[in-house]
Amino acid sequence: SDVCSSDLSSAFFIRPEFYPNESYDVRDFREFMPFCTGPVAISSVKYKSWDEVPKNKPLNIGVSGLGVTTHLISLQIVDKFPNAQPVPFKSTAEAFMGLVSGSIDFSLGFMTDADSWAKDNSKVQTHVLGITGSKTVNGYKPLAGMGFNPIIKSLDIPHHMVVPTTTPEVKFKEWRSILTRAVQAKSVQDSYKTDMCEPLVLKDNELDSWYSEQHQKWKRLTTGVKLN
């Protein structure tokens, strides 16, 4: 049907690469509205820095499922710490609860939760060991500068919406005009800042190329990755 999807992330492009027979075809959709892109943080309760992380004992990294962006990021950690393994949860929130309960060593999740728990002394004290991307955000430094594969610079998560390619152009333009005005509201822009998510502002004639670039990017990044 010609209905906008809910808020999506890079997992929209990743899932069909891992589960082609159970998924949609990315080519059946087109970009409607990119919102923002933000880093993923890796947190720990047990360790305050990578220098403290042992290389001779098993380690667990909480991720929001297999075949998603946090899983891809966790593999970059495993590349440096072969004694670590990703542990799938239903969501980043559930993985974070696993972290603070002490059942896992690390958790990958959004900056809002990581920052809140790291700075709130009334909660279990967590430590942000680094973030994806190439920029320092709110004092948290990128993993790429800590000896991890530079590919981790490319693993920030975009948030966006798509529509079926069958959507009539007149509807597409009408909906996009409404939403373009809506996202300019101060409340929306403030929410981006709170989530440490950098706005993605694209013109109408840039949407298709951005969509194609994202499709090819995540296809490339998943090539050769095996789901265990």
Side-chain angles (χ1 to χ4, degrees):
S1 62
D2 298 331
V3 179
C4 298
S5 72
S6 59
D7 183 17
L8 301 169
S9 72
S10 43
F12 170 79
F13 298 103
I14 295 171
R15 180 176 172 78
E17 299 301 326
F18 287 119
Y19 307 104
N21 297 326
E22 298 85 6
S23 301
Y24 41 82
D25 190 332
V26 171
R27 294 170 296 183
D28 290 338
F29 298 87
R30 64 182 293 197
E31 189 61 35
F32 174 62
M33 178 65 68
F35 293 113
C36 63
T37 182
V40 173
I42 182 163
S43 302
S44 179
V45 173
K46 297 179 182 178
Y47 309 109
K48 296 180 181 180
S49 72
W50 291 110
D51 291 337
E52 297 180 5
V53 178
K55 294 187 176 182
N56 58 357
K57 61 174 289 189
L59 300 169
N60 293 317
I61 308 169
V63 300
S64 55
L66 297 180
V68 295
T69 318
T70 52
H71 178 219
L72 292 181
I73 298 168
S74 74
L75 297 181
Q76 303 309 313
I77 309 300
V78 173
D79 188 50
K80 185 173 180 179
F81 293 90
N83 52 317
Q85 66 175 355
V87 177
F89 287 81
K90 292 180 180 179
S91 66
T92 56
E94 189 176 288
F96 207 90
M97 290 302 99
L99 176 72
V100 299
S101 69
S103 63
I104 54 176
D105 301 286
F106 306 98
S107 175
L108 284 163
F110 297 110
M111 289 292 297
T112 307
D113 288 335
D115 183 62
S116 172
W117 283 79
K119 293 184 175 177
D120 189 339
N121 294 327
S122 67
K123 300 175 180 177
V124 174
Q125 187 64 49
T126 64
H127 312 284
V128 177
L129 302 188
I131 62 175
T132 59
S134 58
K135 301 177 182 177
T136 296
V137 177
N138 210 30
Y140 302 120
K141 296 181 179 180
L143 291 161
M146 301 178 187
F148 292 92
N149 192 316
I151 200 173
I152 212 161
K153 292 180 181 179
S154 303
L155 296 179
D156 281 355
I157 293 182
H159 299 274
H160 64 118
M161 292 179 72
V162 302
V163 294
T165 53
T166 54
T167 303
E169 192 66 18
V170 63
K171 285 188 177 182
F172 181 90
K173 290 181 177 179
E174 178 186 355
W175 294 341
R176 182 162 160 77
S177 176
I178 293 170
L179 199 54
T180 297
R181 291 195 300 271
V183 299
Q184 293 172 353
K186 184 177 184 299
S187 58
V188 176
Q189 295 299 313
D190 286 347
S191 71
Y192 288 169
K193 293 178 183 177
T194 299
D195 293 336
M196 299 174 217
C197 201
E198 188 172 337
L200 279 169
V201 182
L202 275 74
K203 298 177 182 177
D204 290 358
N205 62 2
E206 297 174 322
L207 295 175
D208 290 344
S209 60
W210 184 85
Y211 186 83
S212 178
E213 288 167 4
Q214 290 294 310
H215 184 195
Q216 294 306 314
K217 167 185 172 178
W218 297 104
K219 185 180 182 71
R220 182 178 70 255
L221 291 171
T222 55
T223 299
V225 175
K226 304 295 182 183
L227 298 184
N228 298 319

